[in-house]
Amino acid sequence: MNAIDYLRISLIDRCNFQCQYCMPEGADLTYALQQDWLTRAELRTLLQHVFMPVGFTRFRLTGGEPLLRPDVVEIVDDIAHLPQTQDLAMTTNAFLLAQKAEALWQAGLRRINISLDSLDPDTFQSIIGGRGKSRWHDVWAGIQAAHRVGFAPLKLNVVVIPGVNDGEVLDLAALTLEREWHVRFIEFMPIGNSDLFQHRGWIPSEELRQRICDRWGLAEGTVRGNGPADVFQIPGAQGTLGFISQMSECFCDRCNRMRLSADGWLRPCLLNETGQINLREQLRNGVPLAEIRAQVAELVDAKPEINFKMRESGTTGAYSRTMSQIGG
Ligand code: SAM
Ligand code: SF4
């Protein structure tokens, strides 16, 4: 059994994008009140006195959009300098990254994953929603800034939606040829926008691998922090290709992560909230840290039983929370 040592921390559930697959237009999304966000000090207390003693050593900051959190750099600084931290990474849409990359690096962040669903500014804009000038160039500038500053491995996440961006799979894969970038294709899940999912469906990773293999050939590859991705490499390429196949190859049995929402809910699984604990309420009600720690340890022990079984449950169900609300 995998050690449960990886915590995904949502810093904020709001976002400056409204990606079709994550936050559908017109959806009735409710956001946590700012006063309910875990503060920087509360996060530090929880990590130091609850999560680390229970065995968590690897952390990812996510959201919503984590760069919208005003104290994101200070939070990175805190976590990066805790002695038990073995790994700290961030997932971002990179819209604000050009301005913040240097400060994040100085604070101690070394790994970053960026969502980039299209190389075409118009397609990109249609995916992320909103009118006006495409934001693609700002995101691209954010990616270049991350590259310049030295984040490594630098991973680009692509959610593949049939008929929307699947025609760009080869162009996106080609980004790895001359740069040490790691492009990861994620199977679209029926979470966030189940109407779009029912309408468009999803493409199995195997099919994408075949398309890429037909063009260049593919060998197995490796990259640090590959998590649930199957990693391959185009022969001679600088970077790698990852395939995250949660729809076609359920990896719930080897899941080693828990999720902490912006308002302090600790959840054992993306899709199964059994046993969730509100750590913010406990902290603010003065529950002793030893007691909170014991509850978290109990939830960690229970996780293998709680893990959602994607395959057993069927794969086209719809889930009430979006990735941005849970902390994707
Ligand atoms: N805003 C940041 C970003 O987009 O990178 C971080 C939060 S976002 C919720 C984290 C990840 O969830 C992104 O890589 C996004 O593509 C993924 N995601 C959101 N909804 C999804 C869905 N329905 N199926 C698959 N991946 C999804
Ligand atoms: Fe925002 Fe990320 Fe969701 Fe897109 S995928 S709406 S950028 S949280």
Side-chain angles (χ1 to χ4, degrees), residues 63-281:
E65 175 43 44
L67 296 183
L68 287 180
R69 176 90 182 216
D71 49 0
V72 61
V73 173
E74 289 77 9
I75 291 172
V76 165
D77 200 322
D78 287 346
I79 303 178
H81 291 95
L82 288 173
Q84 295 96 328
T85 298
Q86 287 179 9
D87 187 36
L88 175 63
M90 178 181 285
T91 304
T92 170
N93 64 28
F95 183 65
L96 299 171
L97 191 57
Q99 327 159 13
K100 300 202 180 204
E102 181 65 41
L104 290 167
W105 176 272
Q106 294 301 339
L109 188 70
R110 293 291 178 267
R111 296 208 298 121
I112 206 154
N113 291 10
I114 297 170
S115 292
L116 180 73
D117 296 317
S118 175
L119 291 171
D120 175 72
D122 293 335
T123 308
F124 183 81
Q125 194 62 20
S126 76
I127 293 173
I128 69 158
R131 291 178 188 82
K133 180 175 152 280
S134 174
R135 294 175 156 198
W136 185 88
H137 294 95
D138 302 280
V139 168
W140 190 250
I143 295 171
Q144 300 291 348
H147 177 72
R148 239 185 350 265
V149 167
F151 287 102
L154 197 160
K155 297 183 184 173
L156 302 176
N157 287 342
V158 183
V159 177
V160 181
I161 306 174
V164 175
N165 62 349
D166 69 306
E168 294 188 56
V169 163
L170 293 181
D171 293 336
L172 287 156
L175 292 176
T176 66
L177 292 174
E178 290 180 2
R179 304 173 184 87
E180 211 190 324
W181 290 357
H182 306 276
V183 174
R184 302 167 356 131
F185 296 106
I186 303 174
E187 287 176 352
F188 179 25
M189 294 173 72
I191 177 170
N193 190 345
S194 49
D195 289 346
L196 182 70
F197 184 88
Q198 298 296 347
H199 173 58
R200 295 279 183 185
W202 56 286
I203 305 185
S205 295
E206 181 54 40
E207 190 181 320
L208 303 180
R209 268 200 295 271
Q210 197 52 56
R211 285 193 211 169
I212 297 169
C213 192
D214 289 347
R215 170 70 178 80
W216 289 287
L218 266 187
E220 284 195 7
T222 50
V223 63
R224 192 157 68 86
N226 60 325
D230 296 316
V231 182
F232 293 82
Q233 192 160 31
I234 297 171
Q238 303 290 309
T240 64
L241 295 169
F243 297 87
I244 302 183
S245 316
Q246 67 284 4
M247 297 296 290
S248 57
E249 297 166 18
C250 168
F251 41 70
C252 301
D253 285 339
R254 50 190 165 98
C255 174
N256 64 347
R257 59 187 63 178
M258 291 234 203
R259 291 168 199 266
L260 182 59
S261 74
D263 55 350
W265 283 98
L266 178 66
R267 300 199 167 102
C269 168
L270 185 60
L271 302 172
N272 184 349
E273 297 179 349
T274 307
Q276 61 178 334
I277 311 170
N278 190 327
L279 299 180
R280 167 185 46 87
E281 255 175 37

Side-chain angles (χ1 to χ4, degrees), residues 8-13 60 62-64 260-262 324-327:
R8 290 174 83 99
I9 303 169
S10 173
L11 294 184
I12 183 168
D13 57 357
R60 174 171 297 277
T62 180
L260 182 59
S261 74
S324 59
Q325 287 171 312
I326 305 165

